[in-house]
Amino acid sequence: MTVPPPIVAPSILAADFAHLADEVRAVEGAADWLHVDVMDNHFVPNLTIGLPVVQSLRAATELPFDVHLMIEDPRRWAPGYADAGAYNVTFHAEACDDPVALAKDLRSAGAKAGLAIDRDTPIEPYLDLLPSFDTLLIMTIKAGFGGQRFIPQLLDKVRAARRHVATGHLELRIEVDGGIAADTIEQAAA
């Protein structure tokens, strides 16, 4: 098993939405992926961009899109993001009754499949599902709002996932999402 090298995926949630295409182009030389936070004002209490914006941004950049769905009923919407050209589509375990089936659908649509675990959700019940996924996104804040402070204690979930991946010889990218900045990125990468 090889651990993939760290990547940087800035979130467009931090962008100036009035100049979104320009903001995306501004990170092209520094970012590996572009993290796209989709919120529906149901699963989380905030509303952000949706599928039409992702479709139009796809023409503005060659960066791979890492779409993070913080939405109810991801089975209904997730395949559309894969069809729109998202490289990776991640949905929350808390919002899906059959995560493995949705992962298969996403892979069939040509995207990588990601599973997200929110701040207050134990990771242990989902460890055995990891062979069905390409990425595991662990929230280091409560999903739903940008600008929250990083909670370093949540890195224990990352460590548990890394141990599980290592013992199971899985090929899985572990993502850390929330409060990542100059003073927290090293902790997350380690």
Side-chain angles (χ1 to χ4, degrees):
M1 186 215 54
T2 59
V3 175
I7 63 162
V8 174
S11 173
I12 64 171
L13 193 59
D16 176 352
F17 281 20
H19 304 281
L20 203 47
D22 293 333
E23 296 273 280
V24 168
R25 286 188 204 100
V27 300
E28 283 181 335
D32 300 297
W33 293 357
L34 185 67
H35 189 78
V36 181
D37 288 305
V38 176
M39 302 183 212
D40 67 357
N41 194 33
H42 296 283
F43 180 71
V44 294
N46 203 356
L47 183 64
T48 60
I49 62 175
L51 186 55
V53 175
V54 169
Q55 290 167 327
S56 65
L57 276 180
R58 187 66 278 164
T61 184
E62 294 296 317
L63 281 172
F65 283 7
D66 178 37
V67 175
H68 177 194
L69 301 176
M70 290 173 269
I71 63 172
E72 285 184 355
D73 196 12
R75 255 190 106 75
R76 178 177 177 194
W77 299 106
Y81 289 90
D83 292 340
Y87 174 75
N88 184 68
V89 179
T90 298
F91 58 91
H92 275 262
E94 303 88 353
C96 187
D97 60 353
D98 192 348
V100 172
L102 182 50
K104 288 178 185 176
D105 291 347
L106 288 169
R107 287 174 163 176
S108 293
K112 302 281 187 190
L115 184 67
I117 306 293
D118 204 359
R119 178 192 70 193
D120 299 329
T121 301
I123 195 167
E124 292 75 15
Y126 300 100
L127 292 174
D128 289 339
L129 303 182
L130 296 183
S132 299
F133 291 89
D134 303 292
T135 58
L136 172 66
L137 185 152
I138 298 174
M139 298 297 301
T140 48
I141 59 170
K142 177 69 177 154
F145 290 96
Q148 297 178 63
R149 294 186 61 80
F150 179 79
I151 304 170
Q153 297 87 338
L154 293 174
L155 290 176
D156 289 343
K157 286 186 189 182
V158 177
R159 291 181 193 97
R162 178 61 60 213
R163 284 190 302 271
H164 185 78
V165 167
T167 60
H169 306 289
L170 302 175
E171 293 291 328
L172 182 80
R173 180 171 293 283
I174 299 174
E175 295 183 63
V176 180
D177 185 0
I180 304 300
D183 62 335
T184 59
I185 195 166
E186 286 185 38
Q187 294 173 67

